[in-house]
Amino acid sequence: MRFRATIEHVPTFFRIVQAIEKLQKRFLIKFTETNMHIICNSDANEGGIQVWSQIKLDSIFTNYRIQSNANNEITMVLPSEALLAALKSASASSPTSSFETEEVVMRLAKKNDQALLSFEISGLTRVGRKVRVAHDVKIEVMKPADVEKLSEPMCPEPDVHILLPPLQKLRTIVERLRPMSDILAVRANNNKCLQISIHTEGVKVETEWKDCVNPKTQEDNPDEPPEEARNPEELFTVLVSVRSFLKFLNSHVVSTTTIACICQHHCMILYVYIGDVADAGGVLTFYIPAIIDDEGR
Amino acid sequence: MQATLDSSSLKPFTKALICLSKYGDELSIYATPERLSLSATNSSKSAYCRIKYEKEFFTRYRVADHQEGRNDQTSDNAENFTLTGQLLTKSLLSILRHRTIEKAVERCELSIVEGEAGNELGNEGQDGLESRLIVRLHCKHGVVKTHRLLLLTPTSLMAPGVPNNSNESRLTIGPKALKDMIEHFPVSKGVKADPQLVWSFGNDDVALKSLESSIDSRGKGQLSTELTISAEEFEVYAIDEPPTTIAFHLREFNATIAYADSMSLGMELRFTDPAAPLFIDVEGDCSEALFVISTSHVSSAGASASNHRRNVNTKKREREETPGQTTKIKRSMRVVQPSLAMERDQPNANPEPQSCAPSSTVCREFRQTDMPPPSSFPDDSSSMEKVQEPLFLPSSSQLSAVDEAVLRASGLEVGTMDELTEMLEGEGEEVVFGSTSQPPDLGQRCGFQGNGEDRFEIIDDTELGTTQSSYDRSKVWATQFPVDIMHDKNCTSDVPTSV
């Protein structure tokens, strides 16, 4: 089992982990020959939120070498906070420090039978002298048999795709709603309309965006008549936990474009694109299961 | 003591207090006619911080002027006159750190009123010494804020041990460079976390290693970090016997860096062998700061992996401090001892110890030099109001007006002059009733009532008689002396004379 890569875009990696860190103390990364998959699938997560992501190696790494008996794939369990700290130290100058990173090499290593993901950072101090920093993050390499058991959640064909407004803006609103309700209703139609609302005994708050884009999905174009047959004004609703929606919104640090899909009364899927959609370096896919309530508000 | 800070020197003073507060809760004040020294020691006595200010740092600085007259009689006392006190750093800091301070304050006066000098509350214990630190902030628009803080008698003034100069290693480095290095070592968010770093000083480079990186909240180190930097990063790099390895905790060290950084001053690090404490000097124009941090001994240089396992309980520092511990990492001895143990004539660059005898001694000296005792005392520890008026005034017409005044001022529950005299004689010491005493409470009242100047005086007692709980009447009676109070004088002296 060999694994070594130079982290070319430390800030990108850092921000991805930053978004993940809020979600789970320990998470999985599956490195393959072409992609890095970040997986959060713990059952204990707030509202059952999961992340299944796929990030192109080129968007973060160079000099990538991987070798293993399991189809040249390595899956590891990492402590998110420790990984974040290592990447933070590797990020070039924070506002307070003027440390300059020259190269960051990530390696799979073993010390005293403990598997490590080791980060070797070489940089320059503010006066231009060389500094070497090494971080060893304790990890756990998963057995191929266990990796095979990992499975993405199943969901039907989404009823609606819609582009979300900038997550930062969405976040300010949802944060206001959070003290008032535990359940958030997200509604969207195929005619550029998105609504988020809460409805409790005491209060009803609704926010509506009128000008969201409904992206064309691949299936749209060829021969899917049902889309046309449906009334574009029809709103599809899903109820989700406010807290898990806020967890997803933490990814605003990394997002450029976010597409939300609603499978009515089933789940909500959010594709957070890293980099431009056209040339996306990767996508973090958040899966938030719906809260089923009798009225189906 | 009286010391005045202008707005420009107030900020460094506050920064120093912030640093001191990171070292320990209790702030020891030690004032001589030449300098004011503030020090703090942490609870496990493994770190010590002392910041000294030359009198030039203050726009005005005087110690014990009103004692001078009396000190003429014992002239050697005049020069060695010192003043000590102790208070919670937080209580002083909370005044000076207030958000409006920086903008509004034009001048800050610190004055210490000693218990013997007529403090009405000075009745604790046998010595009757209870001083107060008065912080008076002169703000814009003529607003004057006065805070009175109770000064305790330091139980023992701490002083660091002396470094052995023969095999001393010396390093000089700017705080920013040091900060850049330490930033790579993540600190977990918990307040209790206090990671230790192992520093290996080689011939050409310096290696830092995290000894405990409990970045995991459960105390398990998930991350270990090592940093290597060229020795050139240090302006002075004189290691006695490279390679040398020392280890110490970061909490106090970081506070030191923050202080040096805020003052834009370089840091000089000195240490001898791995078991001896680390000394850090930060010297400014009128200030001189000394920091002493105990180190732990790391026996094998390459034992980083085993160190990790060993450091499960590093959160509990006290326990680690036990000198009897026989693990690989030995905590060094305490960096400070009560200064009484120090030799008087130690050739150390540490002037405090010889003169910082506990104040009980100081107090005795005062009595011999006719120091006026406190004029009155509170009748009840819980009620401050009662302090201001004697509870019982004699109706007997036999008393002369002067006697009456003395009685009233004494605040004692005595009916006649005879009783009072008896009490006094029982003490068996000769007392001259000085006229310079300043009972602050009376003065404060006058400041409100009789003062015609158009100014506000905001009195903010942040510490109210906390030590009075151990009030013992019999003891108090033995040590209290009535004093002739001159009301007018008190009024004028307690109220600031200029805006």
Side-chain angles (χ1 to χ4, degrees), chain B residues 87-99:
Chain B
L87 76 161
L88 283 177
T89 321
K90 261 186 240 155
S91 54
L92 180 55
L93 204 53
S94 63
I95 299 168
L96 296 179
R97 216 181 185 177
H98 195 265
R99 62 198 152 81

Side-chain angles (χ1 to χ4, degrees), chain B residues 27 60 72-73 75 90 124 134 144 211 252-253 258 268 273 280 284 335 351 363 370-371 422 439 465 475 492:
Chain B
L27 174 74
R60 211 166 116 250
D72 284 345
Q73 298 155 17
S75 56
K90 261 186 240 155
E124 207 235 0
I134 300 173
V144 179
L211 194 56
E252 287 90 2
F253 192 63
E268 191 188 332
D273 58 283
I280 306 162
V335 298
C363 169
D370 305 331
M371 193 58 191
E422 208 177 306
K475 278 184 189 168
T492 49

Side-chain angles (χ1 to χ4, degrees), chain A residues 89 97 126 132 134-136, chain B residues 180 183-184 222 224-226 228:
Chain A
S89 140
S97 128
R126 60 180 70 220
R132 284 200 314 278
H135 296 285
D136 288 340
Chain B
D180 286 352
E183 253 178 15
H184 288 282
Q222 299 288 348
S224 67
T225 303
E226 191 171 343
T228 317

Side-chain angles (χ1 to χ4, degrees), chain B residues 262-284:
Chain B
S262 68
M263 305 285 290
S264 308
L265 295 171
M267 300 168 68
E268 191 188 332
L269 284 69
R270 293 179 286 141
F271 56 91
T272 49
D273 58 283
L278 168 78
F279 287 77
I280 306 162
D281 295 298
V282 179
E283 282 185 33

Side-chain angles (χ1 to χ4, degrees), chain A residues 20 24 26-29 38-40 76-78 80 83:
Chain A
I20 297 299
Q24 255 176 231
R26 298 176 74 78
F27 69 103
L28 305 176
I29 299 185
I38 290 179
I39 300 164
C40 299
M76 53 183 84
V77 185
L78 300 105
S80 43
L83 179 66

Side-chain angles (χ1 to χ4, degrees), chain A residues 134-136, chain B residues 184-186 195-199 207-215 223-227 250 303-305 307-308 311:
Chain A
H135 296 285
D136 288 340
Chain B
H184 288 282
F185 294 86
Q196 238 187 108
L197 283 195
V198 183
W199 301 62
L208 281 78
K209 216 181 289 173
S210 58
L211 194 56
E212 180 235 9
S213 55
S214 78
I215 139 151
L223 181 72
S224 67
T225 303
E226 191 171 343
L227 180 143
L250 271 186
S304 77
N307 284 338
H308 276 286
N311 265 278

Side-chain angles (χ1 to χ4, degrees), chain B residues 197-267:
Chain B
L197 283 195
V198 183
W199 301 62
S200 305
F201 299 97
N203 278 314
D204 303 315
D205 44 22
V206 179
L208 281 78
K209 216 181 289 173
S210 58
L211 194 56
E212 180 235 9
S213 55
S214 78
I215 139 151
D216 184 286
S217 51
R218 289 183 298 276
K220 275 194 242 159
Q222 299 288 348
L223 181 72
S224 67
T225 303
E226 191 171 343
L227 180 143
T228 317
I229 199 165
S230 158
E232 289 168 28
E233 195 70 14
F234 294 82
E235 285 149 37
V236 174
Y237 189 78
I239 301 298
D240 183 50
E241 270 179 39
T244 305
T245 303
I246 59 169
F248 52 87
H249 283 278
L250 271 186
R251 186 199 290 154
E252 287 90 2
F253 192 63
N254 280 338
T256 308
I257 295 174
Y259 169 74
D261 193 25
S262 68
M263 305 285 290
S264 308
L265 295 171
M267 300 168 68

Side-chain angles (χ1 to χ4, degrees), chain B residues 1-5 13 29-38 53 55 58 60-67 81-85 92 108-114 117 131-135 151 438:
Chain B
M1 184 207 80
Q2 278 196 313
T4 310
L5 293 154
F13 191 77
I29 300 175
Y30 183 87
T32 70
E34 289 306 309
R35 59 182 67 89
L36 174 72
S37 149
L38 308 169
Y53 288 107
K55 64 177 179 190
F58 303 94
R60 211 166 116 250
Y61 183 76
R62 257 186 334 169
V63 167
D65 60 320
H66 61 280
Q67 265 87 30
F81 184 81
T82 55
L83 203 147
T84 55
L92 180 55
C108 167
E109 278 177 24
L110 302 169
S111 49
I112 292 177
V113 178
E114 282 169 283
S131 313
R132 286 184 159 218
L133 174 69
I134 300 173
V135 182
L151 266 192
Q438 303 179 8

